Amino acid sequence: MDTKHLITFITFSEEKTYLKTSNKLNYAPSTLAEHILSLENELGVKLVEGKGKRTVLTESGEQFLNYARQIMATYKTACKAMSRLSSIKGTLRIMTVESLGLYSMATVFSKFMTQNPDITLSISIGNCNTIYEKLNNNEIDMAYIYDMNPIVHTDFLTTVLFKEPLCFTVAKTHPLAHKRTVTPEDFNNQTFILAQKDCYYSKAFSNLLHENHIVLKSKLELDSGNLIKKYVHSGYGITLLPYSVIKEELDAGSLSILKWSGEVWEAYAQVLTLKKEWMIPSIPALLHLSEAQSPHGFSK
């Protein structure tokens, strides 16, 4: 049963003539007549009849009018309920690594909340192992992480937002800061300050040291990019961080990127969501904004 036909029938019962109904609904009188005829054929009864120069509801039409109004009332209630379900509101649970949440994605999250005042973002910081577990247990809705390659996983949907270089970084006063070319051998007997050992690039860095027979003087592992930068700024050692994390210090001239001679490593910023038949509307909305607001100059 077409709701347009029901609206025509109810409106005709109120306006009493096809002309007035036509003016109200912006349908041609012939179209209105077709709507009512379609209802009559579906129900198997006459709903309207001519009386002199007037067209009025039949007895069957009067009885059906109550049902038509009930159907339309239920339809409107259902539409409102579905609209509430499809609206962007409620709580969206996000876990991110600090280097993404604090730098590249901070503007995105702020803009999303401004555009959607009924949403609550619950953002927590975690490492990759924690993130995977929480996604699988449905404890979070979205995960923003870095990895050396796009993640392929049977349980997750992966969206690559952008990729950016990983940079060997030192204080301006570090002996390697002004060296024309830095090779792996230059890292012999140096101090490194890195993210914790389960960081996405830890294996690549360990392989670099092993393949080139490099022995570090010492290695400090910290779980905060800001803390790492403070140690590096004090001249304590060398670090390896995504470009976006050190951009502000580079612009201010307080840190320098080593002129690395080896292969450029890249960090893939990506969003993971659990594969589901249906997602709450806030997930694709934030995902779309995240893709649209990727940092300028970084490629996919």
Side-chain angles (χ1 to χ4, degrees):
M1 194 168 287
D2 195 320
T3 54
K4 292 195 299 291
H5 299 170
L6 292 173
I7 291 170
T8 293
F9 176 69
I10 294 170
T11 306
F12 175 80
S13 73
E14 296 167 347
E15 299 298 327
K16 310 299 183 184
T17 70
Y18 280 123
L19 181 59
K20 290 182 179 179
T21 305
S22 174
N23 291 336
K24 188 167 186 177
L25 298 180
N26 286 319
Y27 286 127
S30 58
T31 301
L32 300 177
E34 289 173 5
H35 287 181
I36 293 178
L37 179 61
S38 179
L39 276 176
E40 290 177 333
N41 290 336
E42 189 173 354
L43 295 169
V45 296
K46 287 288 290 180
L47 298 176
V48 300
E49 63 181 356
K51 275 197 175 181
K53 294 182 179 181
R54 298 167 53 230
T55 302
V56 298
L57 298 188
T58 63
E59 184 177 343
S60 296
E62 294 286 357
Q63 291 184 23
F64 178 67
L65 179 60
N66 293 326
Y67 293 112
R69 286 172 171 157
Q70 290 174 25
I71 292 170
M72 287 307 303
T74 302
Y75 172 76
K76 289 177 182 178
T77 300
C79 286
K80 287 180 181 178
M82 295 303 102
S83 176
R84 285 194 294 270
L85 285 176
S86 65
S87 62
I88 299 175
K89 64 178 188 177
T91 299
L92 185 58
R93 304 163 301 169
I94 297 169
M95 182 166 279
T96 180
V97 292
E98 182 201 48
S99 48
L100 262 178
L102 189 59
Y103 299 98
S104 300
M105 290 295 109
T107 302
V108 174
F109 295 151
S110 298
K111 186 172 183 178
F112 183 73
M113 293 188 66
T114 300
Q115 293 178 348
N116 303 281
D118 293 331
I119 197 76
T120 298
L121 288 187
S122 175
I123 303 173
S124 55
I125 302 297
N127 58 46
C128 292
N129 294 332
T130 304
I131 282 173
Y132 291 141
E133 181 182 350
K134 288 187 176 293
L135 268 176
N136 268 322
N137 293 337
N138 203 31
E139 295 177 49
I140 57 174
D141 302 304
M142 304 175 75
Y144 285 75
I145 65 172
Y146 278 122
D147 206 287
M148 297 292 283
N149 296 288
I151 296 169
V152 178
H153 197 289
T154 55
D155 294 331
F156 307 135
L157 295 172
T158 305
T159 302
V160 175
L161 300 178
F162 57 88
K163 60 182 178 180
E164 60 177 302
L166 286 165
C167 306
F168 288 106
T169 307
V170 294
K172 298 287 274 189
T173 55
H174 193 280
L176 295 179
H178 303 291
K179 196 171 186 296
R180 278 191 166 185
T181 304
V182 175
T183 66
E185 288 71 27
D186 289 310
F187 292 156
N188 258 320
N189 204 34
Q190 293 286 349
T191 296
F192 265 79
I193 311 159
L194 298 168
Q196 291 182 333
K197 60 184 178 182
D198 60 356
C199 178
Y200 61 96
Y201 59 76
S202 60
K203 184 177 180 180
F205 184 69
S206 295
N207 289 342
L208 174 71
L209 299 179
H210 177 74
E211 290 167 4
N212 291 277
H213 310 289
I214 305 301
V215 178
L216 300 180
K217 179 181 180 180
S218 61
K219 186 168 74 169
L220 175 63
E221 294 178 349
L222 301 172
D223 62 1
S224 167
N226 275 339
L227 197 55
I228 289 173
K229 288 191 294 183
K230 285 186 180 297
Y231 274 80
V232 172
H233 185 264
S234 70
Y236 182 72
I238 306 168
T239 190
L240 181 64
L241 290 171
Y243 176 81
S244 59
V245 177
I246 57 172
K247 183 180 183 304
E248 184 177 337
E249 287 75 15
L250 294 175
D251 292 343
S254 60
L255 294 179
S256 294
I257 296 176
L258 295 183
K259 296 178 178 65
W260 175 241
S261 64
E263 178 186 359
V264 176
W265 291 347
E266 292 180 312
Y268 284 79
Q270 42 206 311
V271 185
L272 303 183
T273 56
L274 196 61
K275 288 182 180 178
K276 296 179 180 179
E277 291 184 4
W278 182 83
M279 289 183 180
I280 56 176
S282 52
I283 292 178
L286 179 53
L287 185 56
H288 176 73
L289 183 62
S290 299
E291 291 181 286
Q293 298 293 316
S294 294
H296 180 69
F298 293 158
S299 60
K300 287 283 186 182

